[in-house]
Amino acid sequence: MNLINNKISYEDSLYLYKSFQPTSLSNEVLPPEKADNKDFFDDFPGNLIQKPQYSDCRFYGSNFNSSNGAYSKFHHCSLFDCHLDNCDFRYSDFLQTKFVCDEKKAIISSCNFSFSNFISDTFKNVNFSGTSFRQMLIEDCDFIDSTIVHSSFEETIFNNCHFKNLSFKEVGVRFCEFSNCRFENVTFPILDLASNIGLIDLLLSQQSEIQISLGTKGITSLAHAIQLLYNLVPYYHKTHQYYQIINILLINNEQKKIWELLHEAFNYVIEANDFPALLGLCNLIVKLHVFDENKLKLLYNRIVETVVPEKLPYHLMKSYLVYIKNIQNLLLDNPSQYPTAQLILKTDIDDTNRNNLLPIINDLETTINVINSDVSPVIQLKHHSPYEIIVFICAELPVLLQICQTFYYTFGGLKSLKDLIGSRHEKTQNNKRNSDSMNNTQTQKSIDVSLNIGVLSVNFHKETTEHVKSSEYFIA
């Protein structure tokens, strides 16, 4: 395709691009976008990667500095003695990948792995510093003989993970969920014990001794730390940190006080219009299995009777409508207590062409049904020049991720779309364009675009691919 009038070659264009790079980068060769069963060494230009897909590759002493690594895929790879500094690895997949160093520690510094997946990965002798792990799935992973400082885990799910010879004294671990994890010679800060779901129960079930850091007051046992936590209730109550109080009351078998506290907690966060905190409280009490379905229904009714959306400013009303749907899924529509997701598709459709919304909605329902026929999405339209389509779903986490990432990668950019569709998409598009050209039709037709996602095959109408401009999702 001739995109410009002049006839500059790819090689000349690449040379020009590299000449605009800082001096330290001008002589580097671009890394491959895809690689399978390759070896890379300390001359690998990790700073120049963009949405790479690497499988069964080995990296020896490679450096990734200020890398634009969002949407990366490292599957069955090994990184030996590698340094990752100031890298963006959001929305990435690390599957059965090893970060190891046998002599000195490998370094992962000032990186962002938020919204990514760590599945069956190993981190051994790794020095983490200044790194963000937010809204991640970390499953079947090993963190061994590593250090981690000035970093944070927030709203992340840990499942079947193994932590050995590791200290979280200088790490923020907040609003995460822990299940079936093992801890050996691990130190946790006392202030994070009550800030997560399932952590205290897991630590109590461990056979090895768990050390609890008291900050400047040294180290103590888990049993003593739980006693000390009760003394923090007045502080947490004064500062309206109800999430922590609920965990502390639960570990002390004071469920009746939790019910009494929730009335105050809900009133406070609703009056402050802090709907994320409201969702967090609902998520906590559902995941802790504190109340039966009847009481959960009472809690939901209390919320909708207290909030008057029409009296909220527009931006707060929009926020409330989004969060209340997630809360409804948690308290009413999700008896199995599956995770919930909110998928947002932003379009360029306004009132002049709103008839194009119907094919998009049909594609949403059909695609979700192809991925998992047991999922029943709830779809809302938000008209604020232009339309937004909001989809609420609840299912097991792997199903949620598959659904959300299907749409996210499809509409996240041309490269992500190409990664998912591959040559079949190009062939389909070319065939359709050739057919339209031969028919010389002047009317706009709805053209199906086929995508292969693993063993699944789904179709999108032309209206969907043309008018959906971006996609994002949140999982609670």
Side-chain angles (χ1 to χ4, degrees):
M1 179 183 294
N2 186 16
L3 297 177
I4 52 179
N5 292 328
N6 60 356
K7 297 182 179 180
I8 186 171
S9 67
Y10 165 76
E11 289 75 14
D12 291 338
S13 181
L14 175 61
Y15 176 80
L16 185 63
Y17 171 83
K18 292 172 63 175
S19 70
F20 294 152
Q21 293 276 359
T23 304
S24 60
L25 306 179
S26 59
N27 294 322
E28 294 200 35
V29 177
L30 291 177
E33 294 182 3
K34 298 181 180 181
D36 186 13
N37 194 26
K38 300 290 185 182
D39 290 325
F40 301 102
F41 300 92
D42 57 4
D43 58 348
F44 175 75
N47 51 307
L48 299 178
I49 61 172
Q50 290 192 16
K51 303 183 181 70
Q53 296 186 37
Y54 296 138
S55 178
D56 295 295
C57 292
R58 295 155 297 279
F59 298 82
Y60 299 93
S62 302
N63 293 310
F64 298 81
N65 297 320
S66 302
S67 301
N68 181 17
Y71 309 101
S72 295
K73 292 184 179 180
F74 288 81
H75 292 182
H76 307 93
C77 293
S78 297
L79 287 81
F80 300 99
D81 304 331
C82 293
H83 288 186
L84 286 67
D85 182 53
N86 192 32
C87 298
D88 179 4
F89 280 108
R90 293 171 302 156
Y91 305 104
S92 297
D93 286 320
F94 294 85
L95 173 65
Q96 295 186 22
T97 291
K98 298 179 180 179
F99 295 78
V100 297
C101 181
D102 292 331
E103 298 179 2
K104 58 183 180 179
K105 291 186 182 297
I107 295 176
I108 298 179
S109 176
S110 301
C111 294
N112 190 351
F113 291 95
S114 298
F115 317 110
S116 296
N117 300 322
F118 288 167
I119 309 294
S120 301
D121 300 324
T122 299
F123 300 87
K124 184 176 181 181
N125 285 332
V126 177
N127 185 352
F128 295 93
S129 176
T131 298
S132 176
F133 307 89
R134 188 171 188 272
Q135 290 191 23
M136 295 183 60
L137 172 62
I138 303 180
E139 186 170 82
D140 297 314
C141 290
D142 295 327
F143 295 82
I144 301 173
D145 298 328
S146 297
T147 61
I148 179 168
V149 297
H150 311 310
S151 300
S152 64
F153 294 89
E154 294 187 12
E155 300 179 47
T156 287
I157 296 175
F158 293 92
N159 187 32
N160 293 324
C161 293
H162 179 207
F163 303 90
K164 183 177 181 180
N165 301 332
L166 190 68
S167 174
F168 289 92
K169 289 171 57 177
E170 299 183 60
V171 183
V173 185
R174 295 176 291 268
F175 312 118
C176 298
E177 298 180 31
F178 290 83
S179 61
N180 300 320
C181 295
R182 291 188 297 125
F183 303 90
E184 296 182 61
N185 190 28
V186 172
T187 302
F188 264 99
I190 187 172
L191 296 181
D192 282 345
L193 289 179
S195 299
N196 299 278
I197 298 175
L199 178 59
I200 295 178
D201 287 336
L202 263 182
L203 295 179
L204 286 171
S205 68
Q206 302 300 301
Q207 295 182 353
S208 59
E209 180 66 22
I210 303 296
Q211 294 184 323
I212 304 300
S213 171
L214 302 179
T216 59
K217 293 186 176 295
I219 300 293
T220 190
S221 66
L222 179 61
H224 184 223
I226 291 175
Q227 294 177 359
L228 294 175
L229 276 179
Y230 204 83
N231 296 331
L232 295 178
V233 169
Y235 166 77
Y236 285 138
H237 189 255
K238 181 69 174 179
T239 55
H240 309 290
Q241 298 185 58
Y242 299 106
Y243 194 105
Q244 288 81 356
I245 299 175
I246 291 172
N247 267 317
I248 294 172
L249 292 176
L250 183 63
I251 203 66
N252 286 277
N253 297 315
E254 298 186 15
Q255 284 85 347
K256 291 184 178 180
K257 289 186 178 180
I258 295 178
W259 182 255
E260 297 171 2
L261 177 71
L262 283 177
H263 180 76
E264 175 189 334
F266 278 23
N267 286 342
Y268 176 79
V269 296
I270 290 173
E271 183 177 351
N273 296 322
D274 191 352
F275 303 121
L278 181 62
L279 176 61
L281 287 172
C282 293
N283 185 53
L284 175 66
I285 60 177
V286 169
K287 297 292 176 60
L288 292 178
H289 307 282
V290 179
F291 305 122
D292 60 22
E293 292 183 15
N294 290 329
K295 285 197 171 183
L296 294 181
K297 184 181 295 185
L298 289 175
L299 291 175
Y300 177 78
N301 291 337
R302 181 183 297 175
I303 294 171
V304 296
E305 290 170 359
T306 304
V307 180
V308 182
E310 295 79 10
K311 293 185 178 181
L312 297 172
Y314 174 78
H315 69 286
L316 289 177
M317 180 178 69
K318 184 177 179 181
S319 175
Y320 168 75
L321 292 175
V322 170
Y323 281 101
I324 194 61
K325 194 60 190 180
N326 277 326
I327 290 170
Q328 178 182 328
N329 283 332
L330 276 171
L331 300 182
L332 300 183
D333 301 337
N334 193 6
S336 299
Q337 299 178 3
Y338 288 143
T340 61
Q342 170 191 322
L343 175 67
I344 302 175
L345 302 184
K346 296 183 178 181
T347 75
D348 61 359
I349 299 173
D350 55 27
D351 284 333
T352 63
N353 60 342
R354 59 185 178 184
N355 58 303
N356 289 318
L357 288 168
L358 184 57
I360 301 175
I361 294 173
N362 288 337
D363 285 345
L364 280 167
E365 293 176 335
T366 301
T367 301
I368 293 173
N369 183 67
V370 168
I371 295 174
N372 191 304
S373 59
D374 293 329
V375 176
S376 299
V378 177
I379 300 176
Q380 289 185 353
L381 297 179
K382 300 299 179 185
H383 183 205
H384 182 52
S385 184
Y387 280 96
E388 289 182 357
I389 303 174
I390 303 178
V391 187
F392 300 93
I393 50 179
C394 58
E396 292 181 339
L397 188 59
V399 175
L400 280 187
L401 289 170
Q402 186 177 16
I403 292 172
C404 292
Q405 291 186 353
T406 294
F407 290 102
Y408 192 93
Y409 279 88
T410 299
F411 303 112
L414 293 177
K415 178 62 170 61
S416 296
L417 180 61
K418 181 180 177 181
D419 292 342
L420 279 175
I421 301 172
S423 60
R424 182 174 180 181
H425 180 197
E426 296 179 5
K427 180 179 178 181
T428 304
Q429 291 286 60
N430 289 334
N431 289 342
K432 294 295 182 182
R433 284 195 294 268
N434 291 339
S435 176
D436 288 346
S437 178
M438 291 174 62
N439 293 333
N440 195 27
T441 180
Q442 298 300 317
T443 60
Q444 185 181 46
K445 295 184 177 181
S446 177
I447 301 176
D448 287 344
V449 175
S450 298
L451 293 95
N452 286 332
I453 306 170
V455 298
L456 303 177
S457 178
V458 298
N459 297 312
F460 288 109
H461 287 86
K462 180 181 179 181
E463 288 85 351
T464 302
T465 57
E466 281 190 352
H467 295 294
V468 175
K469 297 305 178 183
S470 67
S471 171
E472 59 185 15
Y473 66 89
F474 306 93
I475 294 178

